[in-house]
Amino acid sequence: MKKQLLLFGILFFLLVESKSQNLEITPFTGYTFNHSLPIVGGRATLGGGQAWGGMLGFQLNDFTEIEVLYSWQGGTSTARSTAIQSNVNTQTNANYIMIGGNRLFPVSSQMALFSGLKAGAGILAFPNGDFGDISRFSVGINGGMKYFVSDNIGLRLQANLMMPISNVGANLWWSPGAGAQVGVGGWSSVVQFGFTGGLIFRIAK
């Protein structure tokens, strides 16, 4: 999946870059909050923590922008349930690789508000090797502001919602032990909410 996403990303970059007015490169950091959800016989928490990553934005006109995103966030996740023999407490890394668009709302020549929607892959990794990595199709919603202090340098602040898609009765992303798996009780999708900020480096064509 990662190789396919990389190839698609390169082709997408070449296609959109040829039609864009500006290219924006934005490294960022921020924080993602804990997300707690009910599971069969108990409760689980997908741990929050510091997030960082980068975005490539292709501005097609004054109101439309296409964007490619990579985000990494580390944390500690837990699960407690009567369905498993012992509680789970494990280091987790949430990775998102997404493509989408932003609607820009110019306020002045220096400042613009924006909102956007993205889709791609969400990958939950366990660096200690406790469980195998799990990938899910994911969607993301973002909104925030850009402020340019010069023609080529700006600041970006935004809020994010990352949502790996699950369904009713789906297993939680890890399956502790060799016995019973931990199932989500009813509909309870994973939602990661956080804030990020970064520097924008704009390259005008």
Side-chain angles (χ1 to χ4, degrees):
M1 174 179 283
K2 292 182 180 180
K3 292 181 179 179
Q4 293 172 336
L5 286 171
L6 178 60
L7 178 59
F8 178 76
I10 293 173
L11 294 175
F12 181 83
F13 174 88
L14 294 175
L15 175 64
V16 178
E17 198 277 335
S18 65
K19 299 181 179 181
S20 64
Q21 294 180 353
N22 298 309
L23 168 65
E24 294 181 1
I25 303 171
T26 310
F28 65 82
T29 187
Y31 189 85
T32 300
F33 297 96
N34 290 348
H35 173 68
S36 182
L37 67 159
I39 59 176
V40 174
R43 200 160 189 85
T45 299
L46 183 59
Q50 184 178 7
W52 61 266
M55 292 174 282
L56 287 177
F58 309 92
Q59 188 174 342
L60 303 182
N61 53 53
D62 291 340
F63 305 100
T64 307
E65 179 182 53
I66 304 298
E67 198 165 68
V68 179
L69 163 79
Y70 172 74
S71 175
W72 176 97
Q73 176 254 314
T76 300
S77 297
T78 62
R80 295 174 175 82
S81 170
T82 57
I84 54 177
Q85 297 178 350
S86 59
N87 296 333
V88 174
N89 190 307
T90 184
Q91 182 71 27
T92 54
N93 295 335
N95 302 270
Y96 292 97
I97 305 170
M98 292 185 165
I99 296 172
N102 290 328
R103 176 69 166 87
L104 303 175
F105 303 92
V107 177
S108 68
S109 60
Q110 293 177 291
M111 181 178 176
L113 305 178
F114 65 88
S115 62
L117 179 66
K118 295 180 177 61
I123 305 165
L124 192 67
F126 301 91
N128 295 333
D130 300 336
F131 312 100
D133 297 352
I134 302 295
S135 299
R136 292 286 186 273
F137 173 75
S138 302
V139 296
I141 300 172
N142 59 267
M145 60 83 68
K146 300 179 184 182
Y147 182 83
F148 283 87
V149 297
S150 71
D151 291 340
N152 304 110
I153 303 294
L155 301 174
R156 175 170 175 155
L157 299 174
Q158 72 176 48
N160 312 285
L161 277 176
M162 299 297 195
M163 297 173 286
I165 301 300
S166 59
N167 55 21
V168 176
N171 290 327
L172 197 60
W173 282 11
W174 57 83
S175 301
Q181 296 181 336
V182 180
V184 174
W187 174 263
S188 184
S189 61
V190 175
V191 178
Q192 289 196 286
F193 174 71
F195 294 95
T196 58
L199 282 176
I200 306 171
F201 300 94
R202 182 163 63 184
I203 303 172
K205 298 185 72 172

